[in-house]
Amino acid sequence: VTINGIDTDKFSSGVDCSDIRSELKLRPEDKKIVYISRFDGDRSYIINKLLEIIPELSDNIPDLKVIMVGSGNILDSIKEKAREINGITGQNTVIVTGSRTDINKFTALADLFIGFGRSSLEALSAGKPLILAGNEGYIGILDENSLDAAIKSNFSGRGKSKAESESFKNDILKILRVSDEERNALGSFGRNVIEKGYSVKRMVQDNIEVYKQLLEDE
């Protein structure tokens, strides 16, 4: 038994995502939240909770962009809600891309990643601040204080209360309002977590140790 290791070369802050910036017409001043997941009914709670708070977030962060990547059986309803929100904000605040294969470019361009499971590990590998928010529970900003809870839930939020609008909104605003230095420090913390415990190299080492043990037992 081992981890499902993350390729830290593929998922890094150094990935060239200039083509995505151009495709989505992103400006240098935009504050970019990225959410990546399956858009299925069993993920709908956290997706809808994020959509619910976007108009108020946009009031506080005028240059906000929320980029939602994925596909599934509720994709059409998510696109419709995005159109409604963009009508409220008067700009293209929510961008729903559908299914993509260049996921590592989306993690690289994020100022803040919201998600859970493997996608959250990929975002951490890219050195991005993470709000760990799953359909099963909410842990919030990943830092030294919340890391143990994240690990125990396998980065799912399982066992925690579901996200509440006010705390969810405040955590997002906190990250987007801090200095670049503070945001980079959070990103470096997350990258270190992956390199030590969730990388492909760590997965390979686990396998090597198993082989060593088996050879020694013979």
Side-chain angles (χ1 to χ4, degrees):
V1 176
T2 185
I3 56 167
N4 190 0
I6 305 300
D7 184 339
T8 53
D9 292 328
K10 180 178 180 180
F11 290 93
S12 74
S13 59
V15 171
D16 181 9
C17 52
S18 56
D19 58 334
I20 304 297
R21 293 178 185 274
S22 177
E23 175 189 344
L24 303 184
K25 298 179 174 60
L26 299 174
R27 304 165 301 175
E29 64 269 26
D30 287 333
K31 298 292 187 182
K32 302 170 293 298
I33 296 173
V34 174
Y35 176 90
I36 300 173
S37 178
R38 285 189 296 105
F39 289 173
D40 287 341
D42 62 356
R43 310 288 178 97
S44 63
Y45 178 85
I46 196 62
I47 294 172
N48 286 322
K49 187 60 66 174
L50 175 58
L51 291 168
E52 174 189 315
I53 62 176
I54 288 174
E56 192 171 353
L57 288 171
S58 182
D59 287 341
N60 287 275
I61 309 287
D63 298 320
L64 179 69
K65 296 291 183 184
V66 181
I67 303 164
M68 305 183 73
V69 183
S71 185
N73 57 32
I74 62 170
L75 178 60
D76 289 342
S77 68
I78 297 306
K79 286 182 175 179
E80 180 58 34
K81 289 178 181 179
R83 283 191 287 269
E84 292 173 4
I85 293 168
N86 292 340
I88 294 170
T89 63
Q91 57 184 327
N92 197 28
T93 303
V94 185
I95 302 170
V96 182
T97 71
S99 181
R100 302 286 298 222
T101 58
D102 49 356
I103 294 298
N104 60 322
K105 294 183 179 182
F106 285 89
T107 56
L109 66 79
D111 294 306
L112 167 63
F113 190 90
I114 296 173
F116 58 99
R118 184 173 179 84
S119 65
S120 68
L121 297 177
E122 291 169 345
L124 291 175
S125 180
K128 303 302 175 176
L130 169 68
I131 290 180
L132 188 56
N135 218 59
E136 299 183 51
Y138 183 78
I139 289 177
I141 298 169
L142 188 82
D143 56 19
E144 294 91 342
N145 298 319
S146 59
L147 180 60
D148 283 348
I151 292 172
K152 287 176 182 176
S153 74
N154 198 24
F155 288 82
S156 70
R158 189 179 296 110
K160 297 291 183 179
S161 300
K162 288 182 178 289
E164 296 179 358
S165 299
E166 195 66 17
S167 57
F168 196 10
K169 180 193 71 177
N170 289 338
D171 281 346
I172 292 171
L173 291 175
K174 181 178 180 180
I175 295 298
L176 294 182
R177 285 172 168 168
V178 298
S179 67
D180 290 343
E181 289 78 11
E182 290 175 279
R183 201 158 42 242
N184 290 339
L186 272 176
S188 295
F189 170 78
R191 174 79 177 183
N192 188 53
V193 168
I194 299 302
E195 288 178 335
K196 285 187 174 180
Y198 295 90
S199 67
V200 168
K201 290 180 181 178
R202 161 65 196 279
M203 182 175 68
V204 170
Q205 190 57 45
D206 283 351
N207 280 273
I208 290 171
E209 294 302 323
V210 169
Y211 280 115
K212 284 182 177 178
Q213 182 180 337
L214 290 171
L215 289 169
E216 290 169 358
D217 288 344
E218 286 187 353

